[in-house]
Amino acid sequence: MAQLFDEYYKEKEAELLRDICDSIAIPSIAQEDDGQGNPFGRSVTKCLEHILERGAALGFQTDNVDNYVGEITMGSGEHLIGILCHADVVDAGTGWNTEPFSAVVADGELYGRGSIDDKGPMMCCLYAMDYIQRNQLLPDNTRIRMIIGTDEEENWLSIDKYLKENPEIPEISIVPDANFPVISCEKGLINVAMTVPVTCNNKESDNRILLKLESLSGGERANVVAASASCSIISTDEKYDCCKLAEAVKQLGRKLHVPVTVAIAGSKLTIKLEGKAAHAMTPEKGINAISYLMELLFRLTSDEEYVFAQQNVLEFYHRYLGLSYNGEGMNLAWSDEDSGNLTVNVGLLTLTALNLDVIINLRYPVTKRFEEVEAALAMVCEESGAFMKFGVCMNPIYFDKNSSIVRQLMSVYQESTGDMVSQPISLGGATFARAIPNAIAFGPVFPDQEELAHEANEHYRVADYKRITEIYVKALLKLSANI
């Protein structure tokens, strides 16, 4: 007789939580190849090794594919079900109340980078596999394989290499890296670098005080709403009053309702603006420090008292990007019923003597095509004299809400939670569900939970680790029974 899940979890909970905490303690932020067999840095390799060690300790077959991808497999049947996860995380950023890479439990919540994305749910899936194996519930004709990537938060080189060199693709896969009840579609994704040449105005005006941006930068990565941005302003204009400019900056900060700090060193004014980080798929949840700093600088010049030597880049940003996150300025304000609004996030910005460089993360509705977005961006470049270069781009994916995989996973979710109201949803994020056919994102964030992936103070309810482990048990068994 199979052991009741409640009994199993009571026995294994401390071990599972320890495994989650131990994996969080490894700051597995994907880096450049270190030339020593670690394609994404030693910390990522260390985390992958830790996960594989835990899989082996639970009695599973494990394989490390050149420190790019790990496999944890149970069963020996001809049919293969996949669980697609990733060992890497985004960097911590700022604003944490705890140490991001030292897991802390407070008020029933487990805090730490990766508690949601993706170390917590990955370990829960591993223990779901353990429950199935211990109770011999897997059909003889089926295997389950956890596939662990190592640069999901970056360029997906790990999964690309794996798919090229390991031709066996699971017939059906779940990806525990999103939301419940199930993700029926994921928006298209585009990373694009736009370069705006600086048209430098070095002539002092009789009426306006000429300012120069000595430095200007912000953000950490394309797929995170920028939490901070800063600039330094200098001027040789005889009418320039640094203290007066500082007061104008502080007043604009109050009008924009964003925290601004200023520092004066001689005739140089340094401005730092703090925003709020969020996942680029939901830019409305954050406060983009880059956009607010650019708006503040543009507004400094709106009353004709000041003008910047690099005025054209401020005008470019105001016209085409501004404070919007739906693409209105670039004629990209698109939406559809299945996937909602197009979103735009400026994740990185740097000013050099010659150019303004911005890295944009754009997520577009499933009914649109890459070529349509490309055409709109090309028009922006034609009008402004900017240049663009595309980085990682991914087509949207879509499952009919009446498809077999959606119906099966909805059934598991509804039976497990009693929630008969929530419906399949669209996701702006990019999960490994895009990597292989017939893969679909399923959990771990419940409808009543806040999505905190990529944010400061990322955390997950400890009690819900039990809920999702049981849900993943049921999902894997249902899929294996119907494969």
Side-chain angles (χ1 to χ4, degrees), residues 429-446:
T431 75
F432 272 159
R434 300 171 190 259
I436 63 175
N438 218 28
I440 189 166
F442 184 55
V445 179
F446 289 96

Side-chain angles (χ1 to χ4, degrees), residues 235-249:
S235 178
T236 59
D237 195 307
E238 62 181 15
K239 301 186 294 296
Y240 173 63
D241 183 331
C242 191
C243 292
K244 182 180 178 182
L245 179 63
E247 286 302 315
V249 167

Side-chain angles (χ1 to χ4, degrees), residues 1-12 58 60 74 123-138 144 469-474 476-477:
M1 178 181 292
Q3 181 184 23
L4 292 175
F5 180 81
D6 286 350
E7 294 176 0
Y8 167 83
Y9 197 83
K10 184 177 180 180
E11 174 188 336
K12 288 287 191 175
L58 292 172
F60 300 122
M74 64 180 291
M123 286 298 181
C124 289
C125 285
L126 185 61
Y127 278 79
M129 291 171 64
D130 181 55
Y131 176 82
I132 292 170
Q133 178 170 266
R134 282 176 55 151
N135 291 281
Q136 301 179 352
L137 298 174
L138 188 66
I144 296 175
T469 303
E470 186 171 17
I471 287 173
Y472 290 133
V473 166
K474 293 177 178 179
L476 292 169
L477 291 178

Side-chain angles (χ1 to χ4, degrees), residues 21-294:
C21 293
D22 287 348
S23 64
I24 287 172
I26 304 170
S28 50
I29 303 158
Q31 309 288 340
E32 296 295 326
D33 191 325
D34 65 3
Q36 299 179 15
N38 303 303
F40 306 106
R42 178 57 197 158
S43 290
V44 173
T45 297
K46 183 179 178 182
C47 189
L48 179 64
E49 291 171 343
H50 167 70
I51 299 162
L52 293 176
E53 287 169 4
R54 293 306 304 141
L58 292 172
F60 300 122
Q61 308 165 47
T62 63
D63 188 21
N64 185 333
V65 184
D66 302 324
N67 289 330
Y68 276 82
V69 168
E71 290 183 345
I72 301 175
T73 306
M74 64 180 291
S76 56
E78 59 179 304
H79 296 295
L80 182 62
I81 295 172
I83 307 171
L84 306 184
C85 305
H86 62 94
D88 64 308
V89 295
V90 298
D91 46 25
T94 59
W96 284 77
N97 297 325
T98 64
E99 289 296 324
F101 297 107
S102 180
V104 173
V105 175
D107 299 323
E109 305 278 345
L110 192 151
Y111 289 79
R113 177 61 84 218
S115 56
I116 297 174
D117 185 12
D118 184 38
K119 294 176 177 179
M122 174 170 54
M123 286 298 181
C124 289
C125 285
L126 185 61
Y127 278 79
M129 291 171 64
D130 181 55
Y131 176 82
I132 292 170
Q133 178 170 266
R134 282 176 55 151
N135 291 281
Q136 301 179 352
L137 298 174
L138 188 66
D140 292 339
N141 67 344
T142 304
R143 286 168 293 151
I144 296 175
R145 175 170 294 157
M146 179 179 286
I147 301 169
I148 307 154
T150 48
D151 71 329
E152 193 269 355
E153 301 292 2
E154 290 293 338
N155 297 317
W156 292 28
L157 300 178
S158 60
I159 198 71
D160 287 347
K161 175 182 172 68
Y162 175 79
L163 294 173
K164 288 176 183 176
E165 299 182 5
N166 295 269
E168 186 179 21
I169 303 298
E171 296 167 52
I172 194 167
S173 301
I174 60 171
V175 185
D177 193 17
N179 303 76
F180 289 120
V182 67
I183 305 301
S184 59
C185 63
E186 296 186 17
K187 293 179 182 178
L189 183 149
I190 292 173
N191 285 305
V192 60
M194 299 197 78
T195 298
V196 185
V198 173
T199 305
C200 204
N201 172 22
N202 291 315
K203 295 182 180 179
E204 295 187 4
S205 167
D206 291 336
N207 299 320
R208 294 188 290 177
I209 298 170
L210 182 63
L211 306 175
K212 182 178 180 180
L213 287 164
E214 186 180 56
S215 65
L216 173 63
S217 63
E220 297 169 352
R221 62 176 66 208
N223 64 352
V224 179
V225 174
S228 63
S230 63
C231 69
S232 294
I233 300 172
I234 58 175
S235 178
T236 59
D237 195 307
E238 62 181 15
K239 301 186 294 296
Y240 173 63
D241 183 331
C242 191
C243 292
K244 182 180 178 182
L245 179 63
E247 286 302 315
V249 167
K250 289 189 282 187
Q251 183 177 356
L252 280 171
R254 289 190 291 270
K255 287 183 178 180
L256 290 168
H257 305 290
V258 287
V260 175
T261 59
V262 298
I264 298 173
S267 62
K268 180 190 293 187
L269 176 66
T270 299
I271 306 170
K272 294 183 179 179
L273 193 148
E274 297 299 320
K276 179 185 176 184
H279 197 299
M281 70 178 178
T282 51
E284 70 278 2
K285 292 180 57 182
I287 299 172
N288 195 311
I290 292 173
S291 294
Y292 274 90
L293 179 58
M294 295 298 281

